[in-house]
Amino acid sequence: MKGIYIVANDKVLDNTIALLKSIRLYDSDTPIMMIPFDENYQQVAEIVTSKYGVEIYPDLEFVDNLCNNLYNIFGQGFFNTPNKQKKQACWFGPFDEFLYIDVDIVVFEKIADNLKYLEDYDFLCCDYQYLGGIKNVFTSKVLEGKIFTEEQLKDVFNSGWWASKKNLFTESELYETFAECAAHTEYFDFSEKTTDQPIFNYIVLKHISRRLNLVRRPEGKGPGSWAGSPHFEREGDRLIDPKVGKPVQYLHWAGFRIEPGCPYWDIWEHYRYLGETKPTYYPQKIETKKSLGQRFIDKVKNIGQQMKKS
């Protein structure tokens, strides 16, 4: 059986609705299963199960035990919560082949069709994270220690969108790999607090050899997907990546708070209120520390201004 996993709670209700509306616009049939991020999920669970045909992961006790065991391997205090590892439960769930999607994403196609590539591969991702090198994933220690080769490190990926197969390794093997990571935290770039992504990359690069990044698929380069990319062109309620001349498959607001003024806000708003009346007023947000994505964009803008002055 094939399906889609998401992780959500009541705090990300609006994002979850936007994602599910976009999925169901193009695909009314593919099963979707929600893994609760924490105990505060009753509101989102009621809405997604009644309106979008989503099921709740059937063994929540297993999920909690798995996450607590992974948390304890590193020692309390390393992760701010065991829940950061909830997506690890996808390896042991009901779907034989599955796609995992973060809820700060909307899709522009029948996204489950990408599972067809699992006929020839065991793991899929779909992003240009590798162009930024190993930042936010690994440190140079993985090369110095010959943990990975430079060629292998070209397969680093963003852990917000990936696909794979059930039971590629056992629960015990997962614990053993986490223990390796805990013994060598110097391998990982945790500077931006992306504690799940570095370890997730280690697991995949270490144990799954048949990998494919769909932006580097055999039939040609794929489109980008990051909301921090300013070059996408609008085509109705979808986007085109003019660098490859192809429609964007999904848009990921990684590092951004989704709110008025964020990149491609109108795209997200369209899907969130699809079939509903859009609000005419949004409560003013309290000023908070800028997100990673916004800080990156500000840095690029500053460099451009400096170049103009010179």
Side-chain angles (χ1 to χ4, degrees):
M1 180 168 63
K2 300 181 180 182
I4 297 170
Y5 289 112
I6 63 172
V7 173
N9 64 4
D10 292 347
K11 185 177 180 179
V12 293
L13 174 61
D14 283 326
N15 288 359
T16 305
I17 291 172
L19 168 62
L20 292 174
K21 282 188 175 183
S22 71
I23 292 174
R24 288 305 188 212
L25 180 64
Y26 304 104
D27 178 2
S28 59
D29 299 322
T30 298
I32 303 174
M33 189 162 290
M34 187 186 95
I35 302 170
F37 181 76
D38 55 25
E39 67 278 3
N40 300 312
Y41 70 94
Q42 284 70 31
Q43 183 183 11
V44 68
E46 181 180 354
I47 291 173
V48 303
T49 54
S50 62
K51 292 187 176 181
Y52 307 105
V54 176
E55 295 183 26
I56 305 302
Y57 195 96
D59 192 347
L60 297 184
E61 183 178 357
F62 166 78
V63 175
D64 287 339
N65 289 336
L66 176 72
C67 292
N68 285 324
N69 289 338
L70 295 173
Y71 177 77
N72 290 330
I73 287 171
F74 270 82
Q76 294 190 9
F78 187 83
F79 298 118
N80 58 357
T81 170
N83 302 334
K84 288 285 188 180
Q85 304 303 329
K86 285 292 178 83
K87 66 182 69 172
Q88 301 291 353
C90 298
W91 303 111
F92 310 103
F95 299 139
D96 299 306
E97 296 182 351
F98 60 85
L99 173 62
Y100 170 83
I101 310 179
D102 274 352
V103 296
D104 58 346
I105 285 174
V106 298
V107 307
F108 305 115
E109 64 178 21
K110 186 178 180 181
I111 203 71
D113 282 350
N114 290 283
L115 294 174
K116 67 184 180 184
Y117 291 97
L118 290 177
E119 293 178 7
D120 300 309
Y121 299 91
D122 294 324
F123 182 86
L124 310 174
C125 60
C126 187
D127 60 73
Y128 281 96
Q129 172 100 16
Y130 72 95
L131 290 182
I134 59 176
K135 180 176 172 57
N136 288 325
V137 183
F138 298 119
T139 69
S140 60
K141 297 289 186 182
V142 295
L143 280 171
E144 295 167 9
K146 298 183 179 179
I147 307 304
F148 299 118
T149 65
E150 290 189 6
E151 189 63 27
Q152 286 174 311
L153 292 176
K154 291 179 182 177
D155 284 344
V156 296
F157 60 94
N158 183 287
S159 60
W161 191 109
W162 54 279
S164 194
K165 300 173 181 176
K166 180 178 179 176
N167 293 335
L168 285 183
F169 40 80
T170 66
E171 189 178 345
S172 294
E173 287 170 335
L174 182 63
Y175 295 149
E176 290 170 7
T177 304
F178 261 70
E180 289 175 25
C181 296
H184 296 283
T185 55
E186 72 274 12
Y187 292 163
F188 305 101
D189 180 3
F190 296 129
S191 59
E192 297 290 348
K193 302 187 184 301
T194 53
T195 45
D196 63 322
Q197 182 166 287
I199 294 169
F200 207 87
N201 271 262
Y202 185 92
I203 292 167
V204 172
L205 269 58
K206 195 78 171 175
H207 294 290
I208 306 177
S209 58
R210 297 202 315 158
R211 305 183 296 267
L212 174 66
N213 188 335
L214 293 178
V215 302
R216 300 161 66 189
R217 67 194 82 184
E219 59 265 39
K221 279 188 174 183
S225 58
W226 186 43
S229 305
H231 66 279
F232 296 148
E233 297 174 353
R234 283 169 170 74
E235 186 179 84
D237 301 312
R238 304 175 71 182
L239 297 169
I240 302 295
D241 186 344
K243 291 185 177 180
V244 295
K246 296 176 181 177
V248 172
Q249 295 178 269
Y250 70 94
L251 193 62
H252 188 189
W253 281 266
F256 290 98
R257 184 188 297 274
I258 302 179
E259 60 185 0
C262 75
Y264 303 106
W265 161 255
D266 59 319
I267 296 288
W268 181 88
E269 186 186 40
H270 166 78
Y271 284 97
R272 167 58 186 89
Y273 296 104
L274 196 64
E276 301 179 39
T277 301
K278 292 181 184 179
T280 56
Y281 167 78
Y282 293 94
Q284 199 66 26
K285 300 279 186 180
I286 298 173
E287 186 65 27
T288 58
K289 182 180 178 181
K290 288 186 177 181
S291 67
L292 170 62
Q294 190 57 57
R295 294 201 305 273
F296 175 81
I297 288 179
D298 289 348
K299 185 176 180 180
V300 172
K301 288 180 179 178
N302 289 335
I303 292 173
Q305 290 172 355
Q306 291 170 8
M307 291 177 66
K308 289 180 180 179
K309 292 177 181 177
S310 60

